[in-house]
């Protein structure tokens, strides 16, 4: 097959069309954020505005709601959830992958079943428990239900199963405890999987609107998607230029983080997928 064969051309064309379909909404969001209100509803479909209003729209987005606090809330919540999930998932996955104990297969089955239970199914009892403890409108309410990730345990389990047993045996001969093996041997070799899981976790919880909408009513505790909802309510839903500017501000950290970790993310997904 030559470098410019018809098959290669068709494959690249299909991939380009798919990429354009995914990028098009983001490009349109950027276009609306650049335009003044009168140009957004004009008959012209030009992406570039005739009069630039980016500064005006961004100013509205930053002043109508506490956008800085909202972004900080997103960073704190996603960071706490990720750290706690890794602290729980890594030792649990290591135990099921490398240790022999009664009930290990039953635990793996429970993990697989746990992947089928969405947060929506157990939201009401969790809300009642948080309300009874007086932790609504706090970071505890936003973080606590997600500290255990069955998806994270499953992802690390697949990765750890392919790690050579000789490496762990050598660490035991050196006198390491099982916990020491986890954090000094397993984790340094599992960064691709951890990075891949971090992208999944941060994206999921940064974009989550369902749970914050239930447990948060104070603007100062709002996460980015809920902050956009409060902003839209404050703007009566008609200033789409400012709304799209706020959306760009909220999504930009995710785009930057993914581009920075893209190589490790792809590596982690590839390795985890091949080591079943």
């Amino acid at each position: 097959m030559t470098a410019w064969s018809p098959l290669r051309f068709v494959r690249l064309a299909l991939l380009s069309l798919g990429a354009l379909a995914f990028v098009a909404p983001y490009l349109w969001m950027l276009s609306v954020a650049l335009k003044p209100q009168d140009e957004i509803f004009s008959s012209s479909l030009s992406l570039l505005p005739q009069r630039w209003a980016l500064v005006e729209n961004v100013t509205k987005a930053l002043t109508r709601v506490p956008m800085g606090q909202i972004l900080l809330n997103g960073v704190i919540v996603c960071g706490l959830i990720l750290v706690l999930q890794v602290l729980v998932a890594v030792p649990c996955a290591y135990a099921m992958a490398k240790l022999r104990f009664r009930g290990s297969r039953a635990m793996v089955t429970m993990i697989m079943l746990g992947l089928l239970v969405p947060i929506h199914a157990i939201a009401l009892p969790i809300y009642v428990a948080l309300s009874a403890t007086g932790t609504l409108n706090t970071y505890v309410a936003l973080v606590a239900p997600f500290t255990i990730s069955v998806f994270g345990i499953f992802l690390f389990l697949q990765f750890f199963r392919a790690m050579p047993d000789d490496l762990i045996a050598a660490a035991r001969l050196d006198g390491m405890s099982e916990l020491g093996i986890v954090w000094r041997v397993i984790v340094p070799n599992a960064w691709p999987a951890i990075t891949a899981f971090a992208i999944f976790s941060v994206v999921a919880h940064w974009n989550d609107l369902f749970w914050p909408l239930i447990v948060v009513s104070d603007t100062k505790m709002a996460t980015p998607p809920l902050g956009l909802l409060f902003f839209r309510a404050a703007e009566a839903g008609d200033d789409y230029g400012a709304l799209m500017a706020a959306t760009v501000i909220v999504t930009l950290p995710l785009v930057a983080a993914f581009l920075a970790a893209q190589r490790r993310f792809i590596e982690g997904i590839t390795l985890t997928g091949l080591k079943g």
Side-chain angles (χ1 to χ4, degrees):
M1 190 189 323
T2 62
W4 294 101
S5 66
L7 181 60
R8 180 180 176 85
F9 177 79
V10 170
R11 183 171 58 188
L12 291 177
L14 291 176
L15 290 174
S16 299
L17 288 175
L20 182 62
F22 280 101
V23 173
Y26 197 81
L27 292 177
W28 188 254
M29 178 180 67
L30 289 173
S31 175
V32 174
L34 296 173
K35 295 178 180 179
Q37 186 73 359
D38 56 341
E39 287 188 37
I40 294 175
F41 297 100
S42 66
S43 59
S44 173
L45 294 178
S46 172
L47 288 176
L48 294 178
Q50 298 177 0
R51 181 175 69 84
W52 294 76
L54 178 62
V55 175
E56 176 186 348
N57 290 331
V58 170
T59 301
K60 290 181 181 178
L62 295 175
T63 55
R64 300 296 172 85
V65 292
M67 187 61 69
Q69 181 63 44
I70 289 170
L71 294 175
L72 179 61
N73 291 339
V75 171
I76 293 174
V77 170
C78 291
L80 288 174
I81 289 175
L82 176 61
V83 170
L84 293 172
Q85 285 179 339
V86 171
L87 288 175
V88 173
V90 169
C92 184
Y94 168 76
M96 288 189 291
K98 295 302 181 182
L99 302 182
R100 298 293 177 262
F101 59 93
R102 186 176 300 176
S104 60
R105 290 193 175 183
M107 289 186 64
V108 174
T109 302
M110 292 175 63
I111 292 298
M112 298 296 293
L113 291 175
L115 292 171
L116 304 178
V117 181
I119 184 65
H120 313 77
I122 55 177
L124 182 58
I126 295 176
Y127 173 82
V128 172
L130 293 173
S131 178
T133 57
T135 54
L136 297 179
N137 282 306
T138 65
Y139 290 128
V140 173
L142 291 168
V143 172
F146 306 102
T147 53
I148 299 176
S149 171
V150 289
F151 171 73
I153 296 172
F154 176 75
L155 186 73
F156 293 134
L157 176 63
Q158 297 297 99
F159 190 86
F160 295 162
R161 277 177 172 172
M163 280 190 172
D165 294 334
D166 293 342
L167 181 65
I168 298 173
R172 287 172 180 158
L173 287 175
D174 287 340
M176 283 190 186
S177 64
E178 295 299 330
L179 192 59
I181 292 174
V182 170
W183 300 115
R184 297 175 61 184
V185 177
I186 298 297
V187 170
N189 288 283
W191 278 115
I194 293 174
T195 303
F197 173 69
I199 295 293
F200 281 116
S201 176
V202 170
V203 170
H205 297 292
W206 184 275
N207 292 330
D208 183 26
L209 176 61
F210 172 77
W211 187 247
L213 188 61
I214 292 176
V215 299
V216 171
S217 58
D218 186 356
T219 306
K220 293 182 180 179
M221 287 301 303
T223 55
L226 188 58
L228 288 178
L229 194 65
F230 288 152
F231 177 82
R232 187 175 185 275
E235 291 296 311
D238 60 352
D239 196 344
Y240 290 101
L243 182 60
M244 291 300 103
T247 307
V248 170
I249 294 172
V250 167
T251 58
L252 194 58
L254 285 184
V255 175
F258 177 78
L259 292 177
Q262 181 180 11
R263 183 177 177 182
R264 280 191 173 271
F265 173 75
I266 296 174
E267 181 182 356
I269 291 299
T270 304
L271 293 175
T272 306
L274 291 177
K275 299 177 178 181

